[in-house]
């Protein structure tokens, strides 16, 4: 990872409520385990129903969150995900399948943190774990409202 990317992630972490309780060393540990991935327009970043194994922060580009309500139904757009926004944290906490798909709308780069590292940091910081669980409850409520 390039120094400017590490600096960018550090700035973004300070803006994301769920990371506000992490110490500097815990945030640095998460950043050290993140990798950048590139997605082409129309490419699935995550798929609804798949097992969740990672947390994403959108770095460059734009993506759409989509929810399919039934087997033959057309997907409903939940919103646009822009740089500095994140997704994928629900499946990391709940071990439930992805509740929505995220599809690159243009050339898109994301920084990805895989489940094992995320849970390791969470287990060391009860305040962080509680904040993540509160976020999960809020997102579940929002998704049920759309359905």
């Amino acid at each position: 990872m390039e120094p400017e990317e590490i600096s960018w992630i550090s700035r973004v972490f300070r803006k994301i409520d769920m990371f506000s309780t992490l110490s500097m060393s815990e945030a640095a540990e998460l950043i050290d385990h993140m990798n950048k991935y590139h997605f082409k327009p129309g490419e699935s970043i995550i798929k609804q129903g798949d097992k969740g194994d990672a947390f994403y922060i959108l770095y460059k580009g734009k993506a759409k969150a989509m929810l399919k309500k039934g087997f033959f139904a057309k997907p409903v757009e939940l919103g646009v995900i822009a740089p500095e926004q994140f997704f994928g944290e629900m499946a990391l906490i709940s071990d439930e399948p992805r509740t929505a798909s995220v599809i690159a709308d243009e050339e898109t780069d994301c920084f990805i943190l895989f489940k094992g590292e995320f849970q390791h940091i969470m287990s060391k910081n009860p305040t962080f774990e509680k904040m993540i669980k509160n976020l999960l409850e809020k997102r579940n409520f929002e998704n049920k409202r759309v359905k």
Side-chain angles (χ1 to χ4, degrees), residues 85-102:
Q85 293 182 313
F86 61 92
F87 56 95
E89 72 286 355
M90 286 179 60
L92 294 178
I93 307 307
S94 67
D95 289 325
E96 293 179 11
R98 300 281 188 195
T99 57
S101 294
V102 175

PDB file of all heavy atoms in Angstrom, residues 85-102:
ATOM      1  N   GLN A  85     -17.210   6.032   1.837  1.00  0.00           N
ATOM      2  CA  GLN A  85     -18.315   5.286   2.425  1.00  0.00           C
ATOM      3  C   GLN A  85     -17.915   3.817   2.520  1.00  0.00           C
ATOM      4  O   GLN A  85     -17.058   3.339   1.790  1.00  0.00           O
ATOM      5  CB  GLN A  85     -19.593   5.463   1.614  1.00  0.00           C
ATOM      6  CG  GLN A  85     -20.108   6.891   1.691  1.00  0.00           C
ATOM      7  CD  GLN A  85     -21.402   7.070   0.937  1.00  0.00           C
ATOM      8  OE1 GLN A  85     -21.543   6.626  -0.195  1.00  0.00           O
ATOM      9  NE2 GLN A  85     -22.358   7.735   1.569  1.00  0.00           N
ATOM     10  N   PHE A  86     -18.573   3.094   3.425  1.00  0.00           N
ATOM     11  CA  PHE A  86     -18.204   1.713   3.692  1.00  0.00           C
ATOM     12  C   PHE A  86     -19.425   0.809   3.626  1.00  0.00           C
ATOM     13  O   PHE A  86     -20.560   1.268   3.721  1.00  0.00           O
ATOM     14  CB  PHE A  86     -17.521   1.597   5.062  1.00  0.00           C
ATOM     15  CG  PHE A  86     -18.383   2.023   6.211  1.00  0.00           C
ATOM     16  CD1 PHE A  86     -19.162   1.102   6.894  1.00  0.00           C
ATOM     17  CD2 PHE A  86     -18.409   3.347   6.633  1.00  0.00           C
ATOM     18  CE1 PHE A  86     -19.953   1.486   7.964  1.00  0.00           C
ATOM     19  CE2 PHE A  86     -19.194   3.748   7.695  1.00  0.00           C
ATOM     20  CZ  PHE A  86     -19.968   2.808   8.364  1.00  0.00           C
ATOM     21  N   PHE A  87     -19.156  -0.490   3.469  1.00  0.00           N
ATOM     22  CA  PHE A  87     -20.227  -1.489   3.447  1.00  0.00           C
ATOM     23  C   PHE A  87     -19.619  -2.844   3.759  1.00  0.00           C
ATOM     24  O   PHE A  87     -18.409  -3.017   3.737  1.00  0.00           O
ATOM     25  CB  PHE A  87     -20.965  -1.498   2.100  1.00  0.00           C
ATOM     26  CG  PHE A  87     -20.066  -1.708   0.902  1.00  0.00           C
ATOM     27  CD1 PHE A  87     -19.891  -2.975   0.367  1.00  0.00           C
ATOM     28  CD2 PHE A  87     -19.407  -0.645   0.313  1.00  0.00           C
ATOM     29  CE1 PHE A  87     -19.062  -3.181  -0.733  1.00  0.00           C
ATOM     30  CE2 PHE A  87     -18.576  -0.832  -0.797  1.00  0.00           C
ATOM     31  CZ  PHE A  87     -18.406  -2.101  -1.317  1.00  0.00           C
ATOM     32  N   GLY A  88     -20.481  -3.808   4.077  1.00  0.00           N
ATOM     33  CA  GLY A  88     -20.029  -5.169   4.332  1.00  0.00           C
ATOM     34  C   GLY A  88     -19.849  -5.507   5.794  1.00  0.00           C
ATOM     35  O   GLY A  88     -19.563  -6.649   6.138  1.00  0.00           O
ATOM     36  N   GLU A  89     -20.030  -4.533   6.674  1.00  0.00           N
ATOM     37  CA  GLU A  89     -19.809  -4.786   8.093  1.00  0.00           C
ATOM     38  C   GLU A  89     -20.876  -5.681   8.712  1.00  0.00           C
ATOM     39  O   GLU A  89     -20.603  -6.402   9.661  1.00  0.00           O
ATOM     40  CB  GLU A  89     -19.692  -3.461   8.881  1.00  0.00           C
ATOM     41  CG  GLU A  89     -20.966  -2.691   9.065  1.00  0.00           C
ATOM     42  CD  GLU A  89     -21.461  -1.983   7.811  1.00  0.00           C
ATOM     43  OE1 GLU A  89     -20.795  -1.977   6.775  1.00  0.00           O
ATOM     44  OE2 GLU A  89     -22.568  -1.427   7.884  1.00  0.00           O
ATOM     45  N   MET A  90     -22.080  -5.701   8.161  1.00  0.00           N
ATOM     46  CA  MET A  90     -23.165  -6.501   8.742  1.00  0.00           C
ATOM     47  C   MET A  90     -22.836  -7.986   8.770  1.00  0.00           C
ATOM     48  O   MET A  90     -22.994  -8.648   9.787  1.00  0.00           O
ATOM     49  CB  MET A  90     -24.467  -6.263   7.972  1.00  0.00           C
ATOM     50  CG  MET A  90     -25.080  -4.918   8.259  1.00  0.00           C
ATOM     51  SD  MET A  90     -26.586  -4.640   7.314  1.00  0.00           S
ATOM     52  CE  MET A  90     -27.608  -5.965   7.888  1.00  0.00           C
ATOM     53  N   ALA A  91     -22.388  -8.499   7.657  1.00  0.00           N
ATOM     54  CA  ALA A  91     -22.102  -9.940   7.583  1.00  0.00           C
ATOM     55  C   ALA A  91     -20.921 -10.328   8.463  1.00  0.00           C
ATOM     56  O   ALA A  91     -20.843 -11.459   8.927  1.00  0.00           O
ATOM     57  CB  ALA A  91     -21.846 -10.344   6.134  1.00  0.00           C
ATOM     58  N   LEU A  92     -20.011  -9.390   8.709  1.00  0.00           N
ATOM     59  CA  LEU A  92     -18.863  -9.691   9.563  1.00  0.00           C
ATOM     60  C   LEU A  92     -19.283  -9.921  11.008  1.00  0.00           C
ATOM     61  O   LEU A  92     -18.648 -10.664  11.740  1.00  0.00           O
ATOM     62  CB  LEU A  92     -17.845  -8.548   9.513  1.00  0.00           C
ATOM     63  CG  LEU A  92     -17.159  -8.327   8.183  1.00  0.00           C
ATOM     64  CD1 LEU A  92     -16.220  -7.136   8.283  1.00  0.00           C
ATOM     65  CD2 LEU A  92     -16.412  -9.563   7.732  1.00  0.00           C
ATOM     66  N   ILE A  93     -20.356  -9.281  11.414  1.00  0.00           N
ATOM     67  CA  ILE A  93     -20.807  -9.371  12.795  1.00  0.00           C
ATOM     68  C   ILE A  93     -21.857 -10.460  12.969  1.00  0.00           C
ATOM     69  O   ILE A  93     -21.842 -11.211  13.924  1.00  0.00           O
ATOM     70  CB  ILE A  93     -21.423  -8.028  13.256  1.00  0.00           C
ATOM     71  CG1 ILE A  93     -20.471  -6.871  13.002  1.00  0.00           C
ATOM     72  CG2 ILE A  93     -21.828  -8.076  14.715  1.00  0.00           C
ATOM     73  CD1 ILE A  93     -19.096  -7.062  13.566  1.00  0.00           C
ATOM     74  N   SER A  94     -22.780 -10.557  12.035  1.00  0.00           N
ATOM     75  CA  SER A  94     -23.938 -11.433  12.212  1.00  0.00           C
ATOM     76  C   SER A  94     -23.736 -12.850  11.680  1.00  0.00           C
ATOM     77  O   SER A  94     -24.517 -13.724  11.991  1.00  0.00           O
ATOM     78  CB  SER A  94     -25.158 -10.812  11.530  1.00  0.00           C
ATOM     79  OG  SER A  94     -24.971 -10.793  10.128  1.00  0.00           O
ATOM     80  N   ASP A  95     -22.744 -13.071  10.835  1.00  0.00           N
ATOM     81  CA  ASP A  95     -22.538 -14.352  10.168  1.00  0.00           C
ATOM     82  C   ASP A  95     -23.725 -14.758   9.293  1.00  0.00           C
ATOM     83  O   ASP A  95     -23.886 -15.915   8.962  1.00  0.00           O
ATOM     84  CB  ASP A  95     -22.211 -15.477  11.165  1.00  0.00           C
ATOM     85  CG  ASP A  95     -20.826 -15.327  11.752  1.00  0.00           C
ATOM     86  OD1 ASP A  95     -19.922 -14.863  11.022  1.00  0.00           O
ATOM     87  OD2 ASP A  95     -20.643 -15.673  12.924  1.00  0.00           O
ATOM     88  N   GLU A  96     -24.550 -13.791   8.961  1.00  0.00           N
ATOM     89  CA  GLU A  96     -25.667 -14.041   8.055  1.00  0.00           C
ATOM     90  C   GLU A  96     -25.213 -13.740   6.632  1.00  0.00           C
ATOM     91  O   GLU A  96     -24.232 -13.028   6.420  1.00  0.00           O
ATOM     92  CB  GLU A  96     -26.848 -13.143   8.431  1.00  0.00           C
ATOM     93  CG  GLU A  96     -27.460 -13.493   9.777  1.00  0.00           C
ATOM     94  CD  GLU A  96     -28.606 -12.584  10.154  1.00  0.00           C
ATOM     95  OE1 GLU A  96     -29.080 -11.809   9.297  1.00  0.00           O
ATOM     96  OE2 GLU A  96     -29.029 -12.650  11.313  1.00  0.00           O
ATOM     97  N   PRO A  97     -25.936 -14.261   5.641  1.00  0.00           N
ATOM     98  CA  PRO A  97     -25.572 -13.962   4.247  1.00  0.00           C
ATOM     99  C   PRO A  97     -25.719 -12.466   3.959  1.00  0.00           C
ATOM    100  O   PRO A  97     -26.439 -11.751   4.657  1.00  0.00           O
ATOM    101  CB  PRO A  97     -26.589 -14.765   3.432  1.00  0.00           C
ATOM    102  CG  PRO A  97     -27.238 -15.702   4.369  1.00  0.00           C
ATOM    103  CD  PRO A  97     -27.074 -15.154   5.750  1.00  0.00           C
ATOM    104  N   ARG A  98     -25.048 -12.019   2.923  1.00  0.00           N
ATOM    105  CA  ARG A  98     -25.158 -10.619   2.496  1.00  0.00           C
ATOM    106  C   ARG A  98     -26.622 -10.275   2.251  1.00  0.00           C
ATOM    107  O   ARG A  98     -27.333 -11.017   1.578  1.00  0.00           O
ATOM    108  CB  ARG A  98     -24.367 -10.385   1.210  1.00  0.00           C
ATOM    109  CG  ARG A  98     -22.889 -10.686   1.327  1.00  0.00           C
ATOM    110  CD  ARG A  98     -22.172  -9.566   1.994  1.00  0.00           C
ATOM    111  NE  ARG A  98     -20.723  -9.779   1.937  1.00  0.00           N
ATOM    112  CZ  ARG A  98     -19.874  -9.114   2.691  1.00  0.00           C
ATOM    113  NH1 ARG A  98     -20.303  -8.218   3.543  1.00  0.00           N
ATOM    114  NH2 ARG A  98     -18.589  -9.345   2.589  1.00  0.00           N
ATOM    115  N   THR A  99     -27.046  -9.128   2.765  1.00  0.00           N
ATOM    116  CA  THR A  99     -28.440  -8.724   2.627  1.00  0.00           C
ATOM    117  C   THR A  99     -28.699  -7.932   1.354  1.00  0.00           C
ATOM    118  O   THR A  99     -29.851  -7.682   1.002  1.00  0.00           O
ATOM    119  CB  THR A  99     -28.895  -7.887   3.837  1.00  0.00           C
ATOM    120  OG1 THR A  99     -28.036  -6.746   3.954  1.00  0.00           O
ATOM    121  CG2 THR A  99     -28.858  -8.709   5.111  1.00  0.00           C
ATOM    122  N   ALA A 100     -27.644  -7.517   0.669  1.00  0.00           N
ATOM    123  CA  ALA A 100     -27.778  -6.757  -0.572  1.00  0.00           C
ATOM    124  C   ALA A 100     -26.539  -7.010  -1.426  1.00  0.00           C
ATOM    125  O   ALA A 100     -25.529  -7.500  -0.940  1.00  0.00           O
ATOM    126  CB  ALA A 100     -27.927  -5.266  -0.270  1.00  0.00           C
ATOM    127  N   SER A 101     -26.665  -6.651  -2.686  1.00  0.00           N
ATOM    128  CA  SER A 101     -25.523  -6.699  -3.597  1.00  0.00           C
ATOM    129  C   SER A 101     -24.955  -5.295  -3.741  1.00  0.00           C
ATOM    130  O   SER A 101     -25.679  -4.310  -3.600  1.00  0.00           O
ATOM    131  CB  SER A 101     -25.950  -7.197  -4.981  1.00  0.00           C
ATOM    132  OG  SER A 101     -26.375  -8.537  -4.924  1.00  0.00           O
ATOM    133  N   VAL A 102     -23.666  -5.211  -4.028  1.00  0.00           N
ATOM    134  CA  VAL A 102     -23.033  -3.934  -4.353  1.00  0.00           C
ATOM    135  C   VAL A 102     -22.320  -4.136  -5.678  1.00  0.00           C
ATOM    136  O   VAL A 102     -21.518  -5.071  -5.826  1.00  0.00           O
ATOM    137  CB  VAL A 102     -22.058  -3.476  -3.248  1.00  0.00           C
ATOM    138  CG1 VAL A 102     -21.334  -2.203  -3.678  1.00  0.00           C
ATOM    139  CG2 VAL A 102     -22.795  -3.246  -1.933  1.00  0.00           C
TER     140      VAL A 102
END
